[in-house]
Amino acid sequence: MSLESGRGVSPDFKTRIGSILGVDAATLFGSVSVLWTVLSGLLTLALIASRFDPAAQGYYYTFGSLLELTVLAELGLGIVIQQFASHEWSGLRLEDSGSIAGERGRLGRLASLAVFAFRWYAVAGTLASISLAIAGYVFFSQREAPGIQWQTPWFALCALTGARLLTVPAFSLLDGCDQMRSSNRIRLAASVTSSLCGWAALVLEAGLWVPAVMSGAGSLTSLTLLFKKHARFFASLCSDPSGDGLAWRREIWPMQWRIALSWLSGYLIFSLFTPVMFHFHGSAVAGQMGMTLSAVYSLQTLALTWVTTRVPRFAVHIARREFDAADELFSFASRRSVAVFCAGAAGFLLALMLLLRLRHPMAGRFLGLVPVLLFLGAALLTVYAGGLAAYLRAHKREPFLVPSVLGGALTALGTLYFGSRYGPSGAAGSYLTLNLLFLIPEIAIFRHCKTRWHGRSEA
């Protein structure tokens, strides 16, 4: 339901509330999807705590961290697809029938981008499934917990992860073509289905099969709704209109390899904590780390929704050289993104403090207050810097490459060194310190690039 319709509340009132919160239809469905993930995650956490022992919880979250290695298969292409599609969409439109119409040259370039993207992800998904299965087997075999049957569930999850990659180009194309409202509705439906199936599997004590059940249910829902609701959209991209297509080596690759390095750095920054705890401190500590980071990253993703859902609109304004409109929209979204994270972080801290005060068993499944505070501080800086990066990438460039690579490498080293010796607090403290050190140069890069690309001085 959009902000402009509904019973019992006037459209004017809803419009004013939406204006204050910075919520449009795309942001609404995107944030509701993430909010569902956050809230449903609370029930998932409770079920995991009741159905899994601490060791199994560690395997559960380490599964998820290792699966993030799919960045090596994607090589950043998803976000590149969105950016290039947004620029081509400035001369196209969606007909009532669901087909794409507009300038034939732009449609031809968009179609060539779509064909390339689906071919890439078909190959990448296959390679990712095989590589992850082997790498995970080697990793988990080095430190097995007694009584944990992880092998077959892990192989099944790897196969389903490869299938899930097929949804990435479809979502990226829709997002870039200003159909984020619809794509976020599909993401929400997939998230709900995934959670419901996961809860059922937990109640039935499916053990480490739960991640595979959730992944399969979410992927099947996404694929079904994507092609049911947008068959004509994708059919338009299968046509062969006249005009030159996009040249991957000359146009896409120069941005893609930069994004790929940034995403690999992102893995080193966000997804290495849990495997390091698993390897050096055991599956129980890894489970605490994984559960804590799951909550922190959910808040981070929810907050960034205020910026990420507006990236196609940034790109359209930029393609039309409407820089003032793009800057104003970004400033508006960025402020609300930071405010949403601060509110969510405060709520999470209060809830955790209450659990500790009541001596509730759930409190023991999270890290202590000190590492939680450190991770939340680092995540706040990430939300702000992530907004800057998203806006600059809407220009089809990646100026944060150097700080991203350096930050990823140093964070990985800090996590390995301090995390192995001082546990979660050491890893979290190193992470926050590096985020503080890199924030100033990132702000400087942002201001310099915006001034130079927009062809004017900063006010």
Side-chain angles (χ1 to χ4, degrees):
M1 184 175 67
S2 69
L3 288 173
E4 291 77 20
S5 63
R7 297 180 180 179
V9 182
S10 69
D12 289 342
F13 176 78
K14 286 191 170 186
T15 300
R16 288 196 298 271
I17 295 298
S19 177
I20 292 171
L21 297 177
V23 178
D24 56 10
T27 306
L28 174 64
F29 286 111
S31 57
V32 168
S33 179
V34 177
L35 187 60
W36 166 264
T37 302
V38 174
L39 296 178
S40 65
L42 296 176
L43 179 55
T44 303
L45 294 180
L47 287 171
I48 289 173
S50 65
R51 302 288 174 169
F52 285 175
D53 60 26
Q57 178 180 314
Y59 275 88
Y60 177 90
Y61 285 110
T62 307
F63 274 15
S65 293
L66 292 181
L67 288 180
E68 294 299 324
L69 280 169
T70 52
V71 296
L72 296 176
E74 292 191 65
L75 291 179
L77 184 59
I79 194 169
V80 176
I81 294 169
Q82 180 180 327
Q83 304 301 342
F84 275 81
S86 296
H87 281 260
E88 300 306 327
W89 192 254
S90 62
L92 299 171
R93 66 184 183 278
L94 195 67
E95 298 287 335
D96 292 338
S97 63
S99 299
I100 303 173
E103 300 175 23
R104 291 187 62 81
R106 289 188 180 275
L107 180 56
R109 288 167 60 82
L110 184 62
S112 69
L113 176 66
V115 171
F116 168 75
F118 281 111
R119 287 176 178 172
W120 178 286
Y121 277 94
V123 175
T126 302
L127 295 177
S129 295
I130 298 172
S131 301
L132 284 170
I134 297 172
Y137 182 82
V138 172
F139 177 82
F140 288 116
S141 296
Q142 293 177 350
R143 187 165 182 164
E144 292 187 272
I148 302 293
Q149 300 296 322
W150 58 268
Q151 292 90 343
T152 307
W154 170 250
F155 294 142
L157 180 59
C158 290
L160 290 167
T161 297
R164 180 188 58 80
L165 285 176
L166 293 175
T167 67
V168 175
F171 279 123
S172 296
L173 287 164
L174 285 171
D175 290 346
C177 294
D178 201 24
Q179 305 306 308
M180 196 169 282
R181 174 182 177 180
S182 177
S183 63
N184 280 340
R185 291 178 69 175
I186 296 173
R187 289 185 178 100
L188 175 59
S191 180
V192 171
T193 304
S194 176
S195 296
L196 292 175
C197 291
W199 296 338
L202 281 165
V203 170
L204 294 173
E205 298 186 348
L208 290 177
W209 281 98
V210 172
V213 170
M214 297 178 72
S215 178
S219 298
L220 180 60
T221 302
S222 295
L223 289 169
T224 300
L225 293 178
L226 279 168
F227 290 98
K228 178 180 179 180
K229 294 181 177 296
H230 297 285
R232 291 183 181 274
F233 174 90
F234 293 112
S236 299
L237 297 179
C238 294
S239 60
D240 187 22
S242 59
D244 297 329
L246 284 167
W248 174 77
R249 186 179 297 276
R250 176 170 52 85
E251 299 183 71
I252 298 175
W253 179 242
M255 182 178 180
Q256 185 183 354
W257 73 263
R258 291 174 171 85
I259 296 290
L261 287 179
S262 294
W263 278 31
L264 178 58
S265 301
Y267 176 84
L268 297 176
I269 292 172
F270 299 122
S271 301
L272 200 60
F273 297 109
T274 303
V276 167
M277 293 303 114
F278 188 100
H279 183 75
F280 289 104
H281 300 285
S283 56
V285 177
Q288 292 177 319
M289 176 68 79
M291 190 166 282
T292 300
L293 292 182
S294 177
V296 173
Y297 292 161
S298 293
L299 292 174
Q300 181 177 304
T301 304
L302 174 64
L304 279 170
T305 302
W306 264 253
V307 174
T308 55
T309 54
R310 289 172 168 83
V311 167
R313 290 167 61 186
F314 297 156
V316 169
H317 283 308
I318 291 165
R320 296 171 178 170
R321 304 192 65 80
E322 299 167 351
F323 298 128
D324 288 335
D327 289 348
E328 182 179 358
L329 183 61
F330 168 71
S331 178
F332 175 85
S334 180
R335 289 195 301 269
R336 280 155 180 78
S337 178
V338 171
V340 167
F341 181 83
C342 290
F348 175 52
L349 277 174
L350 288 174
L352 183 57
M353 291 171 65
L354 179 61
L355 290 174
L356 289 168
R357 185 175 183 83
L358 296 174
R359 301 182 183 276
H360 194 281
M362 178 67 73
R365 295 302 182 100
F366 291 91
L367 298 175
L369 281 177
V370 171
V372 168
L373 280 168
L374 294 174
F375 275 121
L376 285 173
L380 174 59
L381 300 179
T382 300
V383 167
Y384 181 72
L388 304 183
Y391 185 58
L392 293 185
R393 286 170 182 161
H395 295 74
K396 295 200 299 186
R397 306 188 193 186
E398 177 50 283
F400 278 3
L401 176 62
V402 173
S404 293
V405 172
L406 285 177
L410 291 175
T411 299
L413 292 174
T415 300
L416 288 168
Y417 182 81
F418 293 102
S420 63
R421 285 163 174 76
Y422 306 107
S425 293
S430 172
Y431 179 39
L432 175 58
T433 301
L434 288 169
N435 273 17
L436 286 168
L437 290 175
F438 276 89
L439 183 62
I440 294 176
E442 286 170 344
I443 292 174
I445 290 171
F446 174 81
R447 297 176 70 87
H448 170 74
C449 290
K450 192 158 71 75
T451 299
R452 181 161 57 89
W453 296 346
H454 294 188
R456 62 173 185 268
S457 301
E458 287 283 351

